[in-house]
Amino acid sequence: MPDQSQPTGDPSPEAEIRAFLDRHPETRTIEAFIFDLCGTAMGKRYPVEDLAALYADGLQMCAAACLLDVTGNSADPLGHGFSDGDPDADAVAIPGTLKPVPWAQRPTAQVMLRLLRPEEGRAPVWFEPREVLRTIADGFARDLGLTAVAAVELEFFLTDLERDADNRPQPPRSPVTGRPHTANQVYGMGKLEEFDPILAAIEEACAAQDVPATAASAEYAPGQFELNLRHVADPVLAADHACLLRRIVKSVARSKGYDATFMSKPYPEQSGSGLHIHLSLQDADGANRFDETVEPDETTLRHALGGLRATMGEAMALFAPNLNAYRRFAPDQFVPVTTDWAYDNRSAAFRIPSGRGPARRIEHRVAGAEANPYLVMAAVLAGVRHGIENKLDPGEPATGNAGAAVDEALPLTLWRALDALERAEILPLYFPEGYLTAYHAVKAAEFADFMAEPSPREYDWYL
């Protein structure tokens, strides 16, 4: 059952802590973390006695931890890291995020952190990804008078704990037969039943941490699954849920003797994994502005789509943050290779699902599963706002197979995507000043480090 420890009357940190420990008196350890630029949980483990300090003054954590690459290296973006001496920020618990950790071997709780600058009057660290999204979401609501209602779908692979001789992942062994799972069974109920011990444990952990997971489905490839999250009228909370879900899936899988990966394309011959965002816009009266009965001419919907189309190329380095992520983009894979939009058509980048009335929404299908949910959501909101403010026309909806051929104008390689981000003219209008420059510096340095070492195929082909 969901944790019910959050106070309903007294909202103070003391009441929240007291209620949690009354419900979980066995707790001995607190895992406190942020999600960094790559979407990785970064933080520290504390004894439970330090919990009150985390809520009050906070404990220290280097601010530039938000700006590390996927290997933990610092590119010193905008002088944050080496140049400024890597100063600490106050890491303060975010109220409402104190939850049990069901997969831990000893009684453990977790809490999400917010980084504050003590030398700047405890102002938020502006380049923390969650704060980047908060800034954009607040401006969206304030300037448009609309609330973004969002939910995330995530695809992932369960894999065997053992890699092959070349360190490549292998399909998971069936909990029922013990044999490697090799069949492609999209929507197969047998696949769900076979892996129920792991999926059920993931669902139970989601319930314990108030992560609103709903439908689970088997995807195309062996060991591939999708989990859906319930929509919420807070895009930051929706991104929190996605980040926490990834942590749950990977941790629970390991506790059950499996690995899990959100890598976009772990198997070159199989389908890839995506991060899809479902988005609608609610006005001050609570009406969904995408609802065809509210706006029969679809004005707001069409302008939003126009903005998403206009910003897709600039945002590709956020949607697909590493070299592997671009292996997912290929014709006839139900993966966007154009900027098309369409009604109930999975070959388009921006799909209007079949739900009508209050359920009408845009499904943004571009991002890979390993992309940072905060930054993907931020780019989506920036695109939608740009389209609405500038009354952009998205053109006519696509019909048939919109993914039959690649749009050569789209930057569907990492190097072209980084170039497009560096030259971006629209996204910098909405992101905090300097953030996209910092992100580019981190990812360009990460790519350079990756390319510095010859791959096994180079030896096979060129030695």
Side-chain angles (χ1 to χ4, degrees):
M1 295 294 292
D3 179 62
Q4 300 296 321
S5 64
Q6 294 195 44
T8 55
D10 183 355
S12 69
E14 295 80 7
E16 182 172 342
I17 293 170
R18 184 170 60 251
F20 181 87
L21 294 180
D22 284 347
R23 186 172 176 83
H24 303 282
E26 72 285 358
T27 303
R28 294 292 174 267
T29 302
I30 306 297
E31 295 180 345
F33 53 84
I34 61 167
F35 289 102
D36 71 358
L37 179 145
C38 297
T40 303
M42 303 279 287
K44 298 181 181 181
R45 181 175 288 177
Y46 297 99
V48 70
E49 290 77 15
D50 286 343
L51 187 53
L54 277 169
Y55 274 80
D57 298 327
L59 298 171
Q60 275 58 59
M61 181 175 175
C62 57
C66 301
L67 295 171
L68 300 179
D69 71 14
V70 73
T71 68
N73 287 332
S74 172
D76 199 41
L78 301 182
H80 296 290
F82 297 111
S83 297
D84 62 358
D86 202 17
D88 280 337
D90 291 338
V92 181
I94 297 173
T97 66
L98 181 60
K99 307 295 176 184
V101 180
W103 59 83
Q105 294 186 358
R106 57 177 169 173
T108 300
Q110 70 179 37
V111 69
M112 293 174 61
L113 301 173
R114 189 182 191 198
L115 300 185
L116 307 176
R117 288 284 198 188
E119 74 279 9
E120 297 176 6
R122 307 202 90 196
V125 171
W126 65 270
F127 49 77
E128 183 188 340
R130 189 176 190 270
E131 188 61 30
V132 170
L133 174 56
R134 172 66 70 193
T135 300
I136 291 173
D138 286 351
F140 187 99
R142 179 188 64 245
D143 296 337
L144 295 183
L146 298 170
T147 298
V149 180
V152 178
E153 293 177 355
L154 276 165
E155 295 167 329
F156 65 94
F157 282 87
L158 291 177
T159 65
D160 197 77
L161 278 178
E162 288 207 19
R163 309 275 181 89
D164 71 9
D166 294 317
N167 202 36
R168 293 175 299 197
Q170 301 187 97
R173 295 182 179 273
S174 165
V176 176
T177 67
R179 294 190 295 269
H181 195 269
T182 58
N184 292 337
Q185 294 181 350
V186 63
Y187 295 137
M189 295 305 299
K191 187 173 170 182
L192 291 177
E193 292 166 3
E194 199 169 0
F195 286 90
D196 182 68
I198 301 96
L199 297 175
I202 289 170
E203 291 165 5
E204 289 166 4
C206 286
Q209 295 193 346
D210 291 333
V211 174
T214 58
S217 58
E219 282 295 325
Y220 286 88
Q224 189 183 26
F225 299 91
E226 179 182 276
L227 287 173
N228 297 352
L229 292 161
R230 197 175 302 281
H231 67 273
V232 291
D234 180 346
V236 178
L237 182 59
D240 286 344
H241 290 158
C243 289
L244 291 169
L245 178 63
R246 293 202 305 201
R247 172 173 153 86
I248 288 168
V249 168
K250 293 175 75 72
S251 299
V252 170
R254 181 55 67 93
S255 75
K256 297 294 183 181
Y258 294 84
D259 264 338
T261 180
F262 291 87
M263 186 181 189
S264 277
K265 195 80 167 175
Y267 304 110
E269 71 283 2
Q270 298 289 354
S271 61
S273 292
L275 182 161
H276 298 171
I277 289 179
H278 290 252
L279 181 78
S280 60
L281 299 180
Q282 191 176 83
D283 64 21
D285 297 323
N288 176 8
R289 294 287 291 276
F290 294 166
D291 182 341
E292 71 279 7
T293 66
V294 174
E295 287 191 6
D297 56 358
E298 300 183 326
T299 302
T300 304
L301 175 68
R302 291 181 64 86
H303 291 336
L305 290 164
L308 291 174
R309 296 193 72 190
T311 54
M312 180 174 165
E314 291 189 357
M316 280 303 303
L318 302 174
F319 298 150
N322 59 46
L323 194 65
N324 177 266
Y326 292 86
R327 300 189 189 281
R328 176 171 160 261
F329 297 99
D332 298 327
Q333 296 292 314
F334 292 118
V335 175
V337 291
T338 71
T339 66
D340 286 307
W341 72 279
Y343 294 104
D344 200 15
N345 184 335
R346 287 180 170 85
S347 67
F350 314 113
R351 169 179 174 248
I352 311 303
S354 58
R356 299 296 180 184
R360 203 143 190 261
R361 62 198 185 277
I362 296 171
E363 181 188 15
H364 186 283
R365 298 174 54 81
V366 184
E370 74 273 78
N372 185 311
Y374 296 115
L375 301 182
V376 174
M377 190 76 72
V380 169
L381 292 184
V384 168
R385 179 175 172 182
H386 177 69
I388 292 173
E389 288 182 335
N390 293 279
K391 298 180 172 55
L392 297 187
D393 183 355
E396 293 304 306
T399 58
N401 184 4
V406 173
D407 180 352
E408 297 298 332
L410 273 179
L412 295 182
T413 61
L414 178 57
W415 49 94
R416 288 182 63 202
L418 288 171
D419 286 347
L421 183 66
E422 190 172 33
R423 298 192 307 268
E425 297 179 355
I426 300 171
L427 291 185
L429 301 175
Y430 303 100
F431 274 71
E433 184 178 359
Y435 185 78
L436 296 175
T437 300
Y439 180 92
H440 178 276
V442 172
K443 284 300 176 179
E446 178 184 303
F447 182 43
D449 286 348
F450 182 91
M451 296 300 292
E453 182 175 334
S455 69
R457 180 166 286 186
E458 289 178 70
Y459 293 121
D460 289 342
W461 286 19
Y462 306 129
L463 191 62

